Amino acid sequence: MGEYVKDVMTPGVVAVRPDSSLFEAARLMRDQDIGDVVVADGHRVVGVLTDRDITVRAVAEGLDPMAVGAGTVCTGDPLLVAPDEPVGDALALMREHAVRRLPVVEDGLPVGVVSLGDLAGVFAPAGN
């Protein structure tokens, strides 16, 4: 199996600033039909914010999505992978740390996201 992260990742990054409201992030997720955004301070990835983060860490706790920034409830200091890493290494990292998505970073800049769904086809048994 010679596939690399760049072969299966979703290219492009939808990002918000740490001070963007959760409302802004949620609307962006809705409009882009995605479940997560990268939280970036300039070009530096500082977190990943999922729809679940908004629900569980903010709304369920009574926080105001209009007033709370993405940086407050995102998963900070996320694990990152490079586009030229083998998919098996990315999968092992996801398993080890129980995460479903990894930002893909090249030369310090986010270039995509790889998810368990992206990797599912690579590791599916032949004929399925």
Side-chain angles (χ1 to χ4, degrees):
M1 172 160 337
E3 290 194 71
Y4 296 94
V5 168
K6 65 184 171 191
D7 300 323
V8 299
M9 72 180 196
T10 301
V13 175
V14 178
V16 296
R17 294 179 323 277
D19 62 348
S20 296
S21 74
L22 298 179
F23 175 78
E24 292 174 79
R27 286 188 65 151
L28 188 58
M29 287 183 210
R30 180 200 64 194
D31 294 347
Q32 298 289 323
D33 194 26
I34 55 176
D36 64 281
V37 292
V38 168
V39 180
D41 189 3
H43 292 296
R44 188 173 64 90
V45 175
V46 297
V48 173
L49 179 69
T50 67
D51 48 5
R52 180 170 167 77
D53 293 332
I54 294 171
T55 302
V56 174
R57 296 179 181 172
V59 175
E61 295 296 326
L63 301 178
D64 180 358
M66 297 289 281
V68 175
T72 303
V73 299
C74 72
T75 300
D77 296 320
L79 300 166
L80 306 172
V81 294
D84 58 353
E85 287 190 48
V87 294
D89 291 356
L91 182 60
L93 194 60
M94 289 176 168
R95 283 183 180 158
E96 180 182 342
H97 296 276
V99 296
R100 295 173 171 236
R101 301 167 183 90
L102 296 171
V104 182
V105 176
E106 185 172 37
D107 298 324
L109 300 175
V111 295
V113 175
V114 64
S115 70
L116 282 177
D118 295 330
L119 299 175
V122 176
F123 293 99
N128 285 345

